[in-house]
Amino acid sequence: MAVEEEGLRVFQSVKIKIGEAKNIPPYPGPNRMRDCYCTVNLDQEEVFRTKIIEKSLCPFYGEDFYCEIPRSFRHLSFYIFDRDVFRRDSSIGKVAVKKEDLQKYHGKDTWFQLQPVSADSEVQGKVHLELRLSEVITDSGAINHKLATRVLECQGLPIVNGQCDPYAAVSLLGPSRSEAKKTKVKRKTNNPQFDEVFYFEVTRPLSYTKRQFDVEEEDVDKLALRVDLWNASNLKFGDEFLGGVRVPLRALGSGWGPRRMVLSSAQGERREDHVFPSEHYSPLRDLLLHSANVQPVSSSTAHTLGEVCREKQEAAIPLVRLFLHYGKIVPFISAIAHAEVNRTQDPNTIFRGNSLTSKCIDETMKLAGMHYLQVTLRPIIDEICAEHKPCEIDPVKLKESENLDTNRENLRHYVDRIFNVITTSGVRCPTVMCDIFFSLRESAATRFQVDQDVRYTAVSSFIFLRFFAPAILSPNLFHLRPHHPDPATSRTLTLISKTIQTLGSLAKSKSANFKESYMAAFYEYFNEQKYADAVKNFLDLISTSGKWDQKSIETPIMLKEGFMIKRAQGRNRFGMKNFKKRWFRLTNHEFTYHKTKDEGALCSIPIENILAVERLEEESFKMKNMFQVIQPERALYIQANNCVEARDWIDILTKVSQCNRKRLSTYHPSAYLNGHWLCCKLSADTAPGCTPCTGGLPANIQLDVDGDRETERIYSLFSTYMTKLIKMQEACGSKSVYDGPELEEYSTFVIDDPQETYKTLKLIVSAVQTLEQQHTKYKRDKFKKTKIGSQEHPIGDKSFQCYIRQQSESSTYSI
């Protein structure tokens, strides 16, 4: 999520590794085992779901999830569900981590105790109140105080059983009173606008005035206002509680007026990047982009980042995105790869470790090669998942109804098909990948001139081992499938991935690569020279430097599909009745929707007719997660299932239509309703847009990279590992003046030229300290400007209170 704050942009992202669950309560039946899966939720909105682990009370998942967070949230929650074929899946328990507590678990493996799921714990949203206290003099001369409570609106209330018909109950609580008043019910919205005022008589005691009271004294400091939100239900069980706030009147002090308050119950790593204007990053960015020209490259700024980070992956992700953004990824990877090859002694171990080079190439292939991967593998992967042919060749795991020879033939057929589509796909390999592979090939061949195969293995260790084989093994992680394959299909893909990986390795003794005897026996099918020749021809093609034209693909390739809700485009343009659930399908040729998954298309939109894909403001239809696909004649309004899925659809639709010649430069962020555009109020439905389109890059390399944000992330890493930067400076000094054996504490650093490395380290520390001062100033200024009770910092938001405390401590320390 990007938020503008006076020239500074704030981004949020989260990276989670879901490990395992243990000691889940057994099912109350003779079987006792459960089929469990885990979901990741932003508050109550599900954004990710793991595969189902069948017949286990200790399921192991081992899945990673990363996403940009497109909205604010209070809790990151994890739910464990037990799948039920005949009824709704039952929740076993949950773990909820407050937004402000996520940083505690950064980079750590942590066990959490599952908590029960109850209605009162599933609370979210805000209520906007305005409180006024006025004096009223009675006939007897006593002063009474009247409290005016205005309930303006609520935001983000939970949806219960697919609906939300909220109303508010307002109470003034005290030692001898409990008055309650209700607003009207607002139908079909979780962002209700109430704007109702309620009055409560409040009498202050003698200590507040010199007048003698003739009514019972009551201390205003003991009173509290409570606002509860309820969902009006027609069920016999009564209305459902949505949440509430309790505000002691003394807590408001003299600050009476509009207040926004977070609803509360009656009972992984998260990153937030604060990005300054571009000029603040010039010193650090210039050091990074100059890295490929530094001699030796081990003394460059980018290489130094890899040396100080705990994991090379931490450094590789922002480095690759930054260098791709500025078009300098090939010279940078060529430089660090050449240095690594020169340090390698055995050609059989080339690029086999988790070095900075390996991680950077992995990340580049993920970004630049995703479209290539989908075009190459998706059709055959879809076919395998649809056919469910038995392919088990382990005699121990073979089912009674299966035949081993038939299964081997099925598996051999699939391996042949995938091998052929890979080895004939060379002309579609992205240019940036070809240029990198060319550099790897040349460096390896020059270093190990005796070994004739090293020019192939240097490339195959990436394209087969780290690109195609993992995608076959876990197609959902590479966006080749929307969900996890079932266990039988997953086993088939595992066997195929092992075989393809070995075929691509060009190892001297293929059968020796398998620990399992049944795999060694199966591989004998492929012990023919034609397979090795096909691999070499493919590797020769993709490691030849040159600008390949992307071939037009005549066969439609499935890119994404799933259920969403769309608004009718025809004559009946108004009313909720026009919103219908449809199966959407996107290929490289067209965007269609269908009544069901297996039926023909009700509507087809050619990709060349997509003029823009943009978000639709929630106020248009009072519905979240909506976006619009703009065509020459009209716009198709669609609601995705959650915020992450909406972002994914917008991204991929934008990418496939990016090269359309007639793409719009402006659009209307709101709908055309009741004879005018809601955003600009123009009455002509053909009026040009009032807001600039967002847009993106061509689908060949589909990147939406913010160079300043990546530089901010690199600054954050340097700041985190500042002690290691200092230690590396000490190591440079030690190497310069001490000719004896290297001290053990400095042995982890690669320092080829101590003097050049020391100069670079000084420049890095200076640039990081300058940015640190900017961040400190921002935090101090933000603390001074913070207004409690505003929409950004509502009363009751514990994350805000924690934030204020942290910023206060930070500011005090800095001063």
Side-chain angles (χ1 to χ4, degrees), residues 653-664:
L653 281 163
T654 299
K655 289 164 185 173
V656 298
S657 62
Q658 190 63 45
C659 296
N660 291 348
R661 295 179 180 178
K662 296 183 180 180
R663 280 187 63 85
L664 298 177

Side-chain angles (χ1 to χ4, degrees), residues 347-477:
N348 294 316
T349 62
I350 193 168
F351 299 128
R352 291 303 170 96
N354 289 322
S355 62
L356 180 64
T357 304
S358 297
K359 292 300 183 183
C360 284
I361 296 176
D362 287 350
E363 192 63 27
T364 303
M365 291 191 300
K366 287 180 184 177
L367 293 171
M370 190 58 66
H371 180 67
Y372 168 50
L373 193 65
Q374 291 182 342
V375 166
T376 305
L377 288 184
R378 184 158 192 163
I380 182 61
I381 294 293
D382 285 344
E383 186 178 322
I384 292 170
C385 293
E387 290 182 344
H388 297 289
K389 287 184 178 179
C391 295
E392 182 57 70
I393 59 173
D394 183 355
V396 177
K397 297 181 179 180
L398 204 66
K399 296 179 181 178
E400 292 183 4
S401 60
E402 294 178 352
N403 180 277
L404 184 59
D405 291 335
T406 302
N407 288 10
R408 281 177 179 161
E409 181 59 28
N410 290 339
L411 183 60
R412 187 193 64 78
H413 173 71
Y414 282 147
V415 170
D416 260 333
R417 292 274 308 279
I418 287 186
F419 180 80
N420 287 332
V421 298
I422 290 174
T423 54
T424 57
S425 69
V427 293
R428 293 195 298 270
C429 186
T431 301
V432 67
M433 290 172 60
C434 292
D435 289 344
I436 289 172
F437 293 152
F438 173 76
S439 175
L440 300 182
R441 173 190 177 124
E442 292 298 298
S443 294
T446 303
R447 175 74 172 87
F448 302 103
Q449 297 181 16
V450 177
D451 191 329
Q452 294 299 310
D453 284 337
V454 72
R455 66 183 188 273
Y456 295 117
T457 56
V459 177
S460 67
S461 63
F462 288 103
I463 195 69
F464 281 101
L465 183 65
R466 297 171 179 264
F467 189 62
F468 283 121
I472 296 168
L473 182 66
S474 303
N476 57 294
L477 299 182

Side-chain angles (χ1 to χ4, degrees), residues 69 142 196 285 358 419 424 508 591 604 682 772:
I69 301 175
E196 295 188 38
R285 182 175 56 243
S358 297
F419 180 80
T424 57
K508 301 290 190 300
F591 182 48
S604 173
L682 294 177
E772 189 73 47

